[in-house]
Amino acid sequence: QKEVEQDPGPLSVPEGAIVSLNCTYSNSAFQYFMWYRQYSRKGPELLMYTYSSGNKEDGRFTAQVDKSSKYISLFIRDSQPSDSATYLCAIRDGGATNKLIFGTGTLLAVQP
Amino acid sequence: IAGITQAPTSQILAAGRRMTLRCTQDMRHNAMYWYRQDLGLGLRLIHYSNTAGTTGKGEVPDGYSVSRANTDDFPLTLASAVPSQTSVYFCASTTPGGYGYTFGSGTRLTVV
């Protein structure tokens, strides 16, 4: 079983739709959860991070962590064509490397 | 502008040749990482360095080596390239206990 699983998509929605992106993870010890956005032929950029369970909101974006079910989500409200990108969930490994473990990414296209 | 610079942007390399991918950051981050990104497999950690003078192996280190002579530079060397090393390579950095990474724009490498 992979440590982080992510629906690969692709996902196509009309402008203005609410988008839900999801990941599951296997290790209940994980505490730090992130979402990255990656535009075509660019490096990933940090979008949001959350610690432990709960919600965090930033403008049109909401990150949600449910540690009981090992499930993390990113919601995008009022989606825009400029949101079209690949979205990667990531979890920080608290070991010696402090590495990030990434999902495989979900490609999102918001149609105008 | 603070960030990570990777070079070259792209390269076509003959199998068996040696190549060094360059990575320089100007944020004085202690930790640096090399990932490769492949379709369907996501970002996988090759090597990391928690601080200047130290390095460690990630998930897919075979065929790659790194060095960390100073804080700013973290080159990745392919000693004898093989076609399976065709990928997009990303360098990243973070502060100790940092929540997320800053990524470079990537090097697109094709080994033929």
Side-chain angles (χ1 to χ4, degrees):
Chain A
Q1 182 187 7
K2 287 185 179 179
E3 290 184 284
V4 181
E5 302 262 13
Q6 182 172 6
D7 294 335
L11 192 59
S12 182
V13 301
E15 183 175 354
I18 296 174
V19 176
S20 172
L21 304 165
N22 307 294
C23 290
T24 58
Y25 62 95
S26 59
N27 189 336
S28 58
F30 291 146
Q31 296 275 26
Y32 294 93
F33 306 91
M34 289 150 232
W35 284 95
Y36 282 79
R37 178 174 60 195
Q38 185 177 21
Y39 291 113
S40 180
R41 303 185 82 87
K42 299 289 187 183
E45 56 178 341
L46 181 65
L47 195 58
M48 297 188 71
Y49 71 87
T50 53
Y51 172 72
S52 196
S53 280
N55 292 359
K56 185 172 184 178
E57 189 174 319
D58 183 2
R60 296 185 294 110
F61 298 88
T62 299
Q64 190 173 78
V65 177
D66 182 347
K67 291 198 72 181
S68 63
S69 56
K70 299 180 201 160
Y71 198 83
I72 59 176
S73 301
L74 178 71
F75 299 98
I76 307 174
R77 292 184 299 281
D78 187 25
S79 56
Q80 302 295 309
S82 58
D83 295 328
S84 297
T86 296
Y87 290 81
L88 301 143
C89 61
I91 299 175
R92 197 175 90 186
D93 180 340
T97 65
N98 205 30
K99 70 179 182 181
L100 291 183
I101 305 166
F102 287 87
T104 51
T106 300
L107 178 61
L108 170 67
V110 180
Q111 307 298 333
Chain B
I1 298 176
I4 293 181
T5 302
Q6 289 187 239
T9 303
S10 64
Q11 181 76 44
I12 299 174
L13 185 68
R17 296 296 295 270
R18 178 185 179 91
M19 172 151 191
T20 295
L21 280 59
R22 300 185 298 278
C23 174
T24 299
Q25 54 109 351
D26 61 2
M27 299 170 287
R28 309 302 292 174
H29 285 173
N30 289 66
M32 297 187 75
Y33 307 83
W34 274 105
Y35 282 82
R36 59 178 290 174
Q37 186 174 35
D38 302 287
L39 195 63
L41 297 176
L43 286 155
R44 294 180 291 167
L45 182 65
I46 305 171
H47 284 287
Y48 67 94
S49 170
N50 285 334
T51 189
T54 68
T55 62
K57 294 181 180 180
E59 183 184 356
V60 289
D62 293 342
Y64 305 96
S65 64
V66 292
S67 61
R68 187 88 184 277
N70 57 60
T71 297
D72 298 341
D73 300 298
F74 191 43
L76 176 73
T77 297
L78 288 67
S80 179
V82 295
S84 62
Q85 292 177 312
T86 294
S87 186
V88 182
Y89 292 86
F90 288 101
C91 179
S93 70
T94 190
T95 53
Y99 293 115
Y101 294 178
T102 299
F103 280 86
S105 296
T107 293
R108 189 171 297 269
L109 180 67
T110 302
V111 182
V112 297

